[in-house]
Amino acid sequence: MKEFDKKYLRKKIKYLAGVDEAGRGPLAGPVVAAAVIFKKNTQIIGVNDSKLLTEKQREKLYKKITSKALSYSVSVVESSVIDEVNILNATLLAMREAVESLKIEPDLILVDGNKKFQSEIPVITIVKGDSKSFSIAAASILAKVTRDRLMKNLALEFPNYLWEQNKGYPTKQHREIIKQVGPSPLHRKTFLKKILSEQQISEFYNIEEKILQ
């Protein structure tokens, strides 16, 4: 994976940023993106696509990545924004914000997937990049660990939904809970249409707005 990144490094490309996201598919919670820059020869054994690692492995690698990175950043885009601009645009926004928050400006950005965000810095998209590029894989771990931690904390505030287990993803149990008790303020309204009717969604959020007023 490190060799994959090295082929992009040239005299004019000293700093390479890998970018990836976590949380495009869940019914609840934010989408999180991470960006990370390493020195050319930095090696971290075990770095891989975050989906192929256990939670324990990701936590250990998170510490190593953050300690060895020249610069790293994480951006969180909330569910309300996802509903407003759609998940693709929210994901691209999170990625762009993560890159802009890096303490070192990269010369080139490698992004997992086939969609790129607008940037004055050159951006290259790589399909399945989290299983090819060392820096993208590292970013995928940072994003995944950050989001999982967020969902565990949010589960304390909204215990009915068992987010500490499902992290907001559409498991059968999670879908059934939503049908029984309704969605939380952190559920993505636009993601609930296959579970609840438009009327049910509208009624719930109208009640919620009145309570908050």
Side-chain angles (χ1 to χ4, degrees), residues 50-104:
S50 64
K51 296 184 291 295
L52 302 178
L53 302 170
T54 65
E55 184 173 357
K56 192 173 182 179
Q57 288 173 326
R58 289 193 297 265
E59 286 285 350
K60 286 183 178 180
L61 288 166
Y62 180 95
K63 293 178 181 179
K64 293 180 180 179
I65 292 165
T66 54
S67 66
K68 291 191 175 185
L70 279 175
S71 181
Y72 71 92
S73 176
V74 176
S75 174
V76 178
V77 173
E78 302 296 345
S79 54
S80 58
V81 179
I82 294 170
D83 282 332
E84 184 179 344
V85 303
N86 77 42
I87 186 60
L88 174 59
N89 287 324
T91 300
L92 296 177
L93 172 62
M95 288 180 168
R96 179 167 57 81
E97 288 181 346
V99 171
E100 290 176 349
S101 297
L102 288 167
K103 292 181 180 178
I104 298 172

Side-chain angles (χ1 to χ4, degrees), residues 7 20 41 58 86 111 117 119-120 122 126 148 188 209:
K7 69 184 181 182
D20 201 2
N41 294 315
R58 289 193 297 265
N86 77 42
V111 176
F117 51 88
S119 174
E120 294 181 0
I126 300 171
D148 284 357
R188 305 170 183 178
E209 286 172 5

Side-chain angles (χ1 to χ4, degrees), residues 88-146:
L88 174 59
N89 287 324
T91 300
L92 296 177
L93 172 62
M95 288 180 168
R96 179 167 57 81
E97 288 181 346
V99 171
E100 290 176 349
S101 297
L102 288 167
K103 292 181 180 178
I104 298 172
E105 183 175 293
D107 302 305
L108 179 66
I109 302 164
L110 300 185
V111 176
D112 182 50
N114 60 2
K115 301 291 183 182
K116 63 176 69 176
F117 51 88
Q118 290 187 337
S119 174
E120 294 181 0
I121 303 167
V123 179
I124 296 176
T125 57
I126 300 171
V127 176
K128 296 184 179 179
D130 47 9
S131 62
K132 299 174 182 177
S133 161
F134 174 76
S135 57
I136 292 178
S140 79
I141 293 168
L142 296 187
K144 175 65 173 169
V145 170
T146 299

